[in-house]
Every structure is written in structure tokens, then in C-alpha cells.
Amino acid sequence: MKLFQLLAISAVFAFSANVFAQAPGQAAKTIKITKITGTVNIMKDGVVVMTLKPGDAIPEITDNKVTFAVVDGTIEIEAGGKKISGATGSNFSVASNAGQVNVALGAGTPVAVKTESGQNVILTANSEVKMINANDKVMISMEKGNSVMTDASGGGTQTVQAGQTMTVSAMPMIAAPVMPMMKPVVVEPLVIVPPATTVIPTIEIVQAVCGVSSSSPDCMH
């Protein structure tokens, strides 16, 4: 009995070593956990290989297919340039290999998959989506079930059913630069002041003398 228990423990340990990186030089990771806010079981072929809680060190995953069961809280994952988000009750698998990402959701809370350009594919229960990158495009193919797809702004909602395929850009969205507000230029009205009338003093003096004496030579007409 003890021998059986030791063999079982050894098998689980070896299984875990295939899922998580144990030393430098192992296969490059294709699936990365970027955020966790609750309790999540990481599974492989139906076996729980690790339980993560807030504050735990996040392991590097080297396997190209892993299943996540969110007990409570949320988890965010990156795979092949896509961002996958699950919440309490989500039980989903992620497979990533050679420009292709598959996300399959069992029964449970919907899972959101965001493409490089910001489109969101929200999987409903018992559904699977395949995304293939080629020539700056992402081909989104519903393999099973259905999903709700929105554009980068959260609008343009449409339902994608099993067998349907969509193609979107694989180029990341670049936010337009915010131009600084320019103060309006106030143009002051142009005021033209006419020049003062110039009066020659000698003319005024001659007019005054003529008013006193008309016999002055200057008063001759």
C-alpha cells in the first residue's frame, strides 16, 4: 500500500514538472498567467497539479495546453498574443502552439478572449474558439457552441455560432494622440485715430491783425 502511494505521488510530481518550468533552459513558455485575484486550480488531463491563491508565486507554464478551474475570484492569461479572462465558476482550457490559440469552455461562467486589436470574443458554456494568426490577420473560428463578439470599443455586438468564421486585424490598436487645447486668439478691433488738425500760427495772427485794422498791407485783397 505504501509503495502504491509513493508511486502515485511520484507520478503527480513528474506530471507537474511537465506543466511548469523547473529550471532555466526548458521549453519557452507559450501560456502565461498575468493576474490572479482568487483561488484557481491548474489542471492537466483532469488532474489538479497546482492550486494558486492570491500572494502565491505565479509559476511559468511550459506546457502548450492547460486547464484552469476558477474556484473564486478572477484569472487573466496571455497566450499567443491573446488575453483570456475567467471568473468564479469558469472551467476552461487554453492551448497555444505555432500561431494558433484554442480556448474551450465547459459548463460554467463565460470566458472572454481579447485579440491583439481589441475585439472581444465571449464564450458561453460548452463552446470552443480557434484563433489563427496569418499575414497581420486573425481568423476566428467557432469550433463548438457559440460566442458573443464585440469590437474594441465594446460595441458592434454580434453572435458567432459553430461553423462560422470571422477575420479581424492582428495589429494592436494605437490610441490617437491627445492634442492640447488651444486658447482662442482674441483679435482686438483696429481703432484708427484721425490726426489732429494742424493750424499754422502765422495765419491766425494775420487774421487777428486784419480784424483790428484793415489798412495793414497784409489785409489787402
Side-chain angles (χ1 to χ4, degrees), residues 79-90:
K82 315 300 183 292
K83 294 183 178 180
I84 303 105
S85 302
T88 303
S90 297

Side-chain angles (χ1 to χ4, degrees), residues 134-201:
N135 301 321
D136 296 330
K137 299 289 184 181
V138 180
M139 184 182 72
I140 302 172
S141 175
M142 285 303 301
E143 301 294 290
K144 184 174 65 173
N146 58 70
S147 67
V148 177
M149 183 174 175
T150 65
D151 58 26
S153 65
T157 303
Q158 57 184 312
T159 300
V160 184
Q161 298 179 342
Q164 291 185 318
T165 299
M166 307 283 292
T167 301
V168 299
S169 173
M171 302 302 292
M173 294 293 291
I174 301 175
V178 179
M179 299 299 292
M181 294 294 292
M182 301 294 292
K183 291 184 178 181
V185 178
V186 179
V187 179
E188 297 289 344
L190 180 62
V191 178
I192 301 176
V193 179
T197 304
T198 303
V199 179
I200 302 176

Side-chain angles (χ1 to χ4, degrees), residues 107-128:
T109 306
V111 167
V113 185
K114 179 178 286 187
T115 68
E116 293 88 336
S117 54
Q119 283 84 4
N120 278 294
V121 178
I122 303 172
L123 299 177
T124 58
N126 301 312
S127 61
E128 180 178 357

Side-chain angles (χ1 to χ4, degrees), residues 4 17 22 32 39 47 57 110 141 148 178:
F4 176 78
Q22 299 296 323
K32 178 182 178 182
T39 302
V47 178
S141 175
V148 177
V178 179

Side-chain angles (χ1 to χ4, degrees), residues 17 21 42 58 69 93-94 118 126 131 145 148 178 183 203 212 220:
I42 300 178
I58 296 178
S93 65
V94 179
N126 301 312
M131 298 185 177
V148 177
V178 179
K183 291 184 178 181
I203 296 178
V212 176
M220 298 296 293

Side-chain angles (χ1 to χ4, degrees), residues 52-72:
L52 291 178
K53 296 182 179 181
D56 289 347
I58 296 178
E60 292 186 358
I61 299 173
T62 57
D63 201 356
N64 62 358
K65 184 176 182 180
V66 182
T67 298
F68 301 90
V70 185
V71 179
D72 60 73

